[in-house]
Amino acid sequence: MNEGTVEDNAERMADLAERLAAVQRRIEAAVEDSGRAGELPTLIVVTKFHPAADIRRLAALGVRDVGENRDQEASSKAAELAGLGLNWHFVGQLQSKKAKSVVKYAHALHSVDRLALVDSLERAIAAEQERTGRGALQCFIQVSLDDDAGAHRGGVAAAEVALLAERLAAAAGLELAGVMAVAPLGASPQAAFEKLAAISAALVAEHPGATAISAGMSQDLEAAIRFGATHLRIGSDILGSRPDVG
């Protein structure tokens, strides 16, 4: 596929650099405003629908963590860009039958939402570790912050987190990283992420290593940082609107 002229590539590179720097400034300011000490949250650039060429440009700008939400697209890009040393984060809903594919490239899975998926992942990671010796798959429990859990943006109810965490913690080859959530549409992100922080605290009380909180997107990263996000999933503010699909 023609990726454009040298001038087009240089223009796109400059655009990405400017957008990335702006988001990084927002993150730094939010961390300072929140009074948090220590390292900045991990910035995951969500690259769905954007070409592999953009990910190459982002890697040249220092990005190491990228997110995708469709296995077919993610596996193709991961294979094409295997030499870049990227950490691939799968951030979308995952069918159990796709577990074998995802464990071939994913560093982390942010959407564990049911026991059956853990079973499939445990079998898949065992086979992949035997084949390649890869490390453990980092797993985030996706929590629904909607009142009617699971009806809108995916995830388990807060009351179901403990059971899922126990199963994940006992699964060979899977590492319980923490929790993930998306702020409900039309709701206050501050209230949503405050609720998530409480759910995280309860999880950490039982599983001290599960301290990660994957929360915050382009429109609400400041609120997520205020309530302890360790991983941010930012797409449009860095990459712009999705490209036209022919």
Side-chain angles (χ1 to χ4, degrees):
M1 180 181 292
N2 182 5
E3 294 180 352
T5 66
V6 172
E7 291 79 7
D8 289 339
N9 286 329
E11 184 177 350
R12 179 58 170 162
M13 187 73 168
D15 179 52
L16 288 174
E18 182 177 350
R19 288 173 170 273
L20 178 62
V23 167
Q24 289 170 331
R25 287 192 297 270
R26 283 177 63 193
I27 293 170
E28 290 165 2
V31 168
E32 183 175 353
D33 289 346
S34 70
R36 288 173 56 179
E39 295 183 2
L40 295 173
T42 297
L43 172 58
I44 301 165
V45 182
V46 179
T47 52
K48 62 182 181 181
F49 305 122
H50 291 270
D54 273 347
I55 304 176
R56 287 190 185 278
R57 296 179 182 112
L58 289 167
L61 293 168
V63 170
R64 287 294 171 264
D65 293 88
V66 295
E68 291 282 339
N69 72 342
R70 298 189 304 176
D71 173 62
Q72 184 174 357
E73 183 176 356
S75 59
S76 174
K77 289 177 179 176
E80 181 177 347
L81 304 172
L84 295 182
L86 298 170
N87 295 322
W88 293 87
H89 297 253
F90 193 87
V91 300
Q93 301 303 115
L94 182 65
Q95 296 176 294
S96 294
K97 66 182 181 180
K98 296 289 189 179
K100 288 182 181 179
S101 176
V102 166
V103 300
K104 295 182 187 301
Y105 60 84
H107 165 76
L109 174 62
H110 291 241
S111 51
V112 178
D113 59 0
R114 59 196 186 280
L115 293 170
L117 178 57
V118 179
D119 293 341
S120 296
L121 289 167
E122 186 176 27
R123 289 191 296 269
I125 198 72
E128 188 64 15
Q129 286 183 326
E130 183 173 345
R131 187 176 74 88
T132 66
R134 65 152 293 165
L137 178 68
Q138 302 291 308
C139 292
F140 293 74
I141 296 174
Q142 183 172 358
V143 184
S144 173
L145 300 178
D146 288 293
D147 291 334
D148 46 347
H152 298 294
R153 309 192 79 167
V156 300
E160 300 172 31
V161 170
L163 178 62
L164 196 52
E166 287 294 335
R167 178 68 186 92
L168 262 174
L174 306 180
E175 186 169 322
L176 175 59
V179 293
M180 181 275 252
V182 179
L185 293 170
S188 162
Q190 289 83 2
F193 295 141
E194 184 175 18
K195 180 179 179 181
L196 183 63
I199 294 168
S200 172
L203 175 65
V204 172
E206 297 297 325
H207 302 276
T211 57
I213 299 176
S214 173
M217 298 190 293
S218 292
Q219 70 276 16
D220 55 24
L221 71 85
E222 286 84 2
I225 288 172
R226 179 182 174 190
F227 289 103
T230 62
H231 293 68
L232 306 168
R233 309 180 308 274
I234 311 298
S236 59
D237 274 12
I238 294 173
L239 285 150
S241 58
R242 71 180 60 174
D244 292 333
V245 179

